[in-house]
Amino acid sequence: EAGVAQSPRYKIIEKRQSVAFWCNPISGHATLYWYQQILGQGPKLLIQFQNNGVVDDSQLPKDRFSAERLKGVDSTLKIQPAKLEDSAVYLCASSLDQGEAFFGQGTRLTVV
Amino acid sequence: GDSVTQMEGPVTLSEEAFLTINCTYTATGYPSLFWYVQYPGEGLQLLLKATKADDKGSNKGFEATYRKETTSFHLEKGSVQVSDSAVYFCALSAVFNDYKLSFGAGTTVTVRA
């Protein structure tokens, strides 16, 4: 069974630029999560989708972050414009039920 | 809201030592509890889970028991190896919170030969 795929693995941008991350969940998984993991901290949930609907986006900084999940499968997370404090690893995960989530390798973003 | 508190690290041990990482939770109802592990340079992997009180999750020599009376899910391993060096995260999800998966801050464990 293929795992959660994310791209790119690494990205370096200047502040005020925009960036987008892509995630392809495990086939058949209805729930998709985006997490932000700052160095030395636990993952923080940014947004949770159930199929193509948003379940929770209370922690998403909506003035600069946006996410979509077209057709309930792939998802993209965008940051525009980026700030220095957005430097982190962005993790995508998917789940079939009961909250047991499977994670991708993550995208390490460095904002300079 | 639902939350997880886990023991701060870093923890440094010698091979074959006993490892305990404490985790307590606050949640509405009866959440499912998880331990995830992140090896250097890799993504998060599910290590073990428990979905109801008194359940014991186990995997790779690690164990954790869901204790409702103490709202705890402590991770233990009787004899650690160098390959167990990683960051360990306690997490929970609950149907009352739409299965939002909430993580603790993580505990870095280093095992020395």
Side-chain angles (χ1 to χ4, degrees):
Chain A
E1 178 181 85
V4 176
Q6 288 189 248
S7 67
R9 285 295 309 276
Y10 305 94
K11 190 75 177 177
I12 300 174
I13 61 172
E14 295 183 350
K15 59 184 178 184
R16 292 187 289 274
Q17 285 188 321
S18 62
V19 64
F21 313 127
W22 174 81
C23 173
N24 180 237
I26 293 172
S27 177
H29 282 194
T31 304
L32 185 147
Y33 309 84
W34 281 104
Y35 285 85
Q36 179 193 60
Q37 187 179 17
I38 292 172
L39 187 65
Q41 299 181 18
K44 182 184 88 170
L45 181 68
L46 292 176
I47 188 165
Q48 176 182 343
F49 292 95
Q50 180 76 14
N51 296 308
N52 60 348
V54 174
V55 174
D56 185 339
D57 64 356
S58 57
Q59 301 261 59
L60 188 74
K62 297 180 187 63
D63 58 332
R64 298 185 300 106
F65 286 64
S66 64
E68 60 181 7
R69 189 181 185 195
L70 298 175
K71 300 181 182 178
V73 183
D74 292 7
S75 178
T76 55
L77 176 70
K78 296 179 181 177
I79 307 175
Q80 182 179 3
K83 293 184 175 181
L84 296 176
E85 59 260 37
D86 298 332
S87 294
V89 176
Y90 291 85
L91 298 166
C92 179
S94 69
S95 172
L96 187 60
D97 59 21
Q98 294 291 315
E100 178 181 340
F102 296 83
F103 284 80
Q105 294 278 69
T107 297
R108 183 177 297 278
L109 173 67
T110 303
V111 182
V112 298
Chain B
D2 296 353
S3 66
V4 172
T5 302
Q6 66 181 99
M7 148 185 166
E8 290 186 19
V11 174
T12 303
L13 302 164
S14 297
E15 245 183 341
E16 300 182 4
F18 183 85
L19 171 68
T20 300
I21 304 176
N22 290 340
C23 171
T24 58
Y25 68 89
T26 302
T28 303
Y30 305 102
S32 295
L33 302 172
F34 308 88
W35 277 100
Y36 280 83
V37 59
Q38 191 170 36
Y39 297 105
E42 298 186 16
L44 281 161
Q45 304 173 27
L46 179 66
L47 180 60
L48 54 84
K49 69 175 183 179
T51 58
K52 62 182 187 296
D54 300 324
D55 265 4
K56 178 185 283 188
S58 61
N59 186 26
K60 299 183 180 180
F62 289 89
E63 292 183 341
T65 301
Y66 189 142
R67 301 286 188 200
K68 181 173 175 292
E69 63 277 12
T70 55
T71 61
S72 65
F73 193 55
H74 305 321
L75 182 68
E76 297 181 337
K77 185 172 185 181
S79 177
V80 294
Q81 305 300 314
V82 172
S83 57
D84 294 324
S85 298
V87 183
Y88 293 83
F89 294 94
C90 188
L92 68 78
S93 75
V95 62
F96 296 104
N97 205 9
D98 294 314
Y99 296 114
K100 172 181 169 179
L101 189 59
S102 300
F103 286 86
T107 303
T108 301
V109 173
T110 302
V111 181
R112 295 189 294 204

